[in-house]
Amino acid sequence: MAGSAGKEAEVLEKAAHIGMRIEDRWQALRERRARRRGHVATVLPFTGYGAPGWFRVLGRVVMAREGAFEGGKASSKLVADGIRGWRNFISPPVANAKVMVQVNGVRHEAVADRGGVLDARIAAELPPGWHTVVLTCEDSEPSEAVVYIVPRDIRFGVVSDVDDTVMVTALPRPFLAAWNTFVLDEHARTPTPGMAVLMDRIARGHPGSPVLYLSTGAWNVAQTLTRFLSRNLYPDGALLLTDWGPTHDRWFRSGQQHKQSELVRLATEFPQVKWLLIGDDGQHDEAIYAEFARRFPDHVAAIAIRQLSASEALLAGRRSPGAAGGTGGVPWIYAPDGAGIAQQLRELGIVTD
């Protein structure tokens, strides 16, 4: 039986390798065609974060028409305000692109991954607060990325899910997910009732604390999500997204593993911070947060779960069975909207106004 299982695993791994090779060849072909059409490597900057001594820079390198960016800023004709999300998927990524990161007059070299995603830790001494770093690739126009440096004395932070937590998406339904991602204009996306007010109250009550948005969504929709969060007055913060493509050992990346690894990374990067973890009961947030709380109980201030309505749970495919037990003294909060969560967080002293 063990030998049979081993052979099956080997077959699956080889199949995943095939999927990765096919994707790499297809993207390389798209990149060559774009270069022949006169397109140039362009860096799409995302919000990053860090602490004194280092910061994490995030972005994506794609092929685009020269001059597609207006003034080298994050707003561009490719991802202009009001354009539907599918346009973010049509620009070929530049695999393993070399990106120059300039901060305080010093240039650092970083390398994007095979999907063109830039995710690098840069050693630099920056004071706490917001800063701008300049990103260039090949002969591209400079792009400006913002990073937030968390003060050393900060002891509290927020990690929030996106889908069905801050934005109603019904993501697990494949047809609705495709409609929301590729077709639906960002103005038509629905914010979750009361969540923006809740997040703003938490941020104002804990000045300087980091806010991070953790999602299984693809990096292709980062600009759309950023504009949605800004338009609906959510606090500024980095998006921690993923790539949907095949890897060296599987056909599709694991969304649960992505969230788990990002939470562990935050616990390592900010050992002094206790996180308020916000999610919903539609899929796996409860189980992911419970596992993290068991492994790192000193890094969790509370876990707040938005309860989906019956119709939302139906669209989400299921309602999670719950996982509030077995996490020691970590408080769990359940409510259907931001107002209900805020009331219970006030009792814990997390919301103060």
Side-chain angles (χ1 to χ4, degrees), residues 76-97:
S76 77
K77 297 174 184 175
L78 285 175
V79 288
D81 188 54
I83 290 183
R84 292 173 173 82
W86 67 269
R87 293 189 180 272
N88 293 288
F89 284 77
I90 65 174
S91 300
V94 181
N96 307 313

Side-chain angles (χ1 to χ4, degrees), residues 46-327:
F46 307 143
T47 300
Y49 67 87
W54 64 272
F55 65 89
R56 184 180 181 183
V57 62
L58 298 166
R60 187 163 177 261
V61 186
V62 300
M63 299 302 300
R65 295 185 307 275
E66 189 172 1
F69 276 76
E70 298 171 352
K73 296 183 180 179
S75 60
S76 77
K77 297 174 184 175
L78 285 175
V79 288
D81 188 54
I83 290 183
R84 292 173 173 82
W86 67 269
R87 293 189 180 272
N88 293 288
F89 284 77
I90 65 174
S91 300
V94 181
N96 307 313
K98 293 182 179 180
V99 180
M100 299 306 300
V101 182
Q102 183 170 325
V103 54
N104 287 343
V106 180
R107 291 164 63 88
H108 307 263
E109 183 177 291
V111 180
D113 67 11
R114 45 184 290 271
V117 175
L118 173 66
D119 184 351
R121 179 171 167 135
I122 305 295
E125 286 294 340
L126 294 173
W130 290 97
H131 298 271
T132 300
V133 300
V134 179
L135 310 177
T136 55
C137 179
E138 299 177 10
D139 296 324
S140 68
E141 296 182 23
S143 298
E144 295 181 350
V146 294
V147 296
Y148 179 66
I149 304 300
V150 180
R152 294 185 191 275
D153 60 349
I154 290 296
R155 298 292 183 268
F156 176 83
V158 179
V159 174
S160 176
D161 177 49
V162 174
D163 304 311
D164 289 323
T165 301
V166 303
M167 177 171 65
V168 179
T169 58
L171 187 61
R173 285 283 294 272
F175 290 109
L176 291 178
W179 176 265
N180 283 332
T181 300
F182 298 113
V183 181
L184 190 63
D185 188 288
E186 70 187 61
H187 293 79
R189 295 171 187 262
T190 305
T192 304
M195 292 303 294
V197 174
L198 167 67
M199 299 279 283
D200 180 66
R201 292 174 66 184
I202 294 172
R204 285 189 286 107
H206 300 268
S209 294
V211 177
L212 301 166
Y213 299 94
L214 178 59
S215 172
T216 58
W219 282 111
N220 309 63
V221 298
Q223 279 85 8
T224 301
L225 287 180
T226 298
R227 290 194 303 272
F228 172 87
L229 294 170
S230 177
R231 179 170 287 110
N232 289 280
L233 304 181
Y234 282 96
D236 293 333
L239 291 171
L240 301 178
L241 306 179
T242 187
D243 188 352
W244 288 349
T247 68
H248 71 281
D249 61 352
R250 59 191 304 153
W251 277 97
F252 296 100
R253 296 178 191 269
S254 168
Q256 294 182 62
Q257 184 177 351
H258 162 67
K259 286 189 170 184
Q260 291 165 351
S261 62
E262 289 292 343
L263 288 171
V264 171
R265 176 170 182 166
L266 290 174
T268 303
E269 292 175 332
F270 301 101
Q272 80 283 10
V273 172
K274 283 195 171 186
W275 300 94
L276 169 63
L277 306 177
I278 304 176
D280 64 82
D281 66 354
Q283 285 290 316
H284 305 291
D285 287 346
E286 289 173 287
I288 292 170
Y289 291 164
E291 179 184 351
F292 179 73
R294 285 190 287 267
R295 289 185 61 188
F296 302 94
D298 294 335
H299 292 271
V300 183
I303 298 173
I305 300 296
R306 178 192 170 240
Q307 296 170 306
L308 302 186
S309 66
S311 60
E312 287 173 333
L314 179 63
L315 290 173
R318 68 176 187 130
R319 191 187 299 275
S320 64
T327 56

